[in-house]
Amino acid sequence: MTAFRAALLDLDGTLLDSIPDLAFAANAMRVDLGMTVLREDVVATFVGKGVDNLVRRSLAGSLDAPDPSAEEFARARESFYRHYHLVNGERAQIYPGVIDGLKHMRDQGLKLAVVTNKPTEFTLPLLQRTGLAGFFDAVVCGDTCVRRKPDPDQVLHACDLLGVEVTEAVTIGDSINDAQAGRTAGTQVLVVPYGYNEGRDVRELDVDGIVDTLVNAAQWVALWNQNQNAAKIAS
C-alpha cells in the first residue's frame, strides 16, 4: 500500500448535477422528433455511459431498448447536440461540499484530474462555466481514449498525464462505470451516494468506501495517507 498522490474525479453526478441541462436537451430532441417529453428523474437513470448512449436511451425512453436505425440515431444525435450546446452549464449545479473538498485535496498536495465519459466539446466549456476548471491538472474526456469507462483506459491515461502510478491514485465517482474503471485500472475507489448510478444503489458496488461528500472523500484520503506514512515510519 502506498500514499495517494492523485485523485481522479468523475464529472456528472460527482462534481455537478447536470441533469437539468441534459434532460432539457433530451426532451428538446424528443419534441423535434414528434415524441412526448420524459420526466427529469427518468432521464437521470439514462446518464453514465456517454452522450451517445444517453441519446439512444432517451430516444427509446428506456435503459434496455433495441438500437435505433443509423438514420434515426443520426437525426436524434444531431438534435441533442444542438440543444445541449445551447444549455450546457446553464442550470448545472455544483454539489454541496465539492469546492471545499477540492480545496482540501489540493492543500494535501494531490494532483487532480477529471475523468468523464462526456465529450471534450461539452466538458471543457462546462468546467469553465461552473468555475471548476482551475482545480484540475488534467482532463480526460469520453473521446480522449479509444475506450470509455467502465473500461480502464481513461483512468490509466489520467495517471500517465499526472505522472503517478495507479496505486498512487484514488478514483472518485458515483456509478458502476467509475467503480469498474478504477478497480480494473488498479486504483482505490470511492463513490458518492447522490449521483447517477442508472437507478442502482451504490452499496451494491465494489468500492473501498462510500463518502457523503467530497469533503468526506478528502478526509478519507488524508487519513489513508496518514496511516501509510505512519506505517512507513514504524517499519
Side-chain angles (χ1 to χ4, degrees):
M1 294 293 189
T2 59
F4 293 124
R5 296 177 54 213
L8 317 177
L9 298 108
D10 178 54
L11 182 58
D12 297 315
T14 301
L15 299 176
L16 294 169
D17 179 8
S18 50
I19 289 299
D21 295 338
L22 291 168
F24 178 90
N27 279 322
M29 171 198 79
R30 285 176 60 89
V31 169
D32 281 351
L33 299 175
M35 306 169 76
T36 58
V37 299
L38 301 170
R39 294 201 321 268
E40 198 170 276
D41 62 325
V42 172
V43 177
T45 67
F46 300 161
V47 175
K49 286 187 168 64
V51 170
D52 284 357
N53 275 305
L54 173 59
V55 170
R56 290 188 186 94
R57 291 167 171 180
S58 297
L59 190 59
S62 170
L63 274 171
D64 305 303
D67 285 341
S69 68
E71 181 181 346
E72 186 181 19
F73 174 73
R75 189 165 62 251
R77 186 180 188 274
E78 184 280 327
S79 175
F80 179 91
Y81 271 60
R82 175 164 40 84
H83 288 294
Y84 191 42
H85 271 298
L86 293 174
V87 299
N88 181 25
E90 187 173 294
R91 291 185 291 171
Q93 295 292 317
I94 299 172
Y95 284 113
V98 165
I99 297 296
D100 287 341
L102 292 174
K103 287 179 179 177
H104 191 176
M105 292 180 201
R106 191 173 58 184
D107 290 346
Q108 292 179 54
L110 294 178
K111 298 179 180 181
L112 303 178
V114 167
V115 180
T116 176
N117 279 344
K118 188 186 290 290
T120 302
E121 64 186 279
F122 298 123
T123 300
L124 298 184
L126 182 57
L127 288 172
Q128 290 290 343
R129 290 170 188 168
T130 54
L132 293 177
F135 283 104
F136 298 102
D137 304 289
V139 178
V140 179
C141 303
D143 48 2
T144 303
C145 301
V146 174
R147 297 181 298 177
R148 300 189 299 263
K149 296 181 292 184
D151 289 300
D153 300 36
Q154 291 171 286
V155 173
L156 296 171
H157 185 59
C159 289
D160 287 342
L161 290 176
L162 297 179
V164 302
E165 300 294 327
V166 290
T167 53
E168 298 174 316
V170 57
T171 296
I172 304 173
D174 64 295
S175 75
I176 188 171
N177 305 303
D178 307 313
Q180 289 181 348
R183 182 64 81 226
T184 305
T187 71
Q188 297 287 300
V189 179
L190 300 177
V191 291
V192 295
Y194 52 71
Y196 324 134
N197 189 32
E198 300 178 5
R200 298 176 56 181
D201 191 324
V202 294
R203 288 174 294 185
E204 301 173 10
L205 302 179
D206 174 22
V207 298
D208 298 290
I210 300 173
V211 288
D212 288 338
T213 68
L214 283 201
V215 172
N216 299 125
Q219 293 168 341
W220 192 97
V221 169
L223 181 59
W224 173 280
N225 283 353
Q226 180 183 327
N227 290 337
Q228 299 311 311
N229 292 332
K232 186 181 297 184
I233 293 171
S235 63

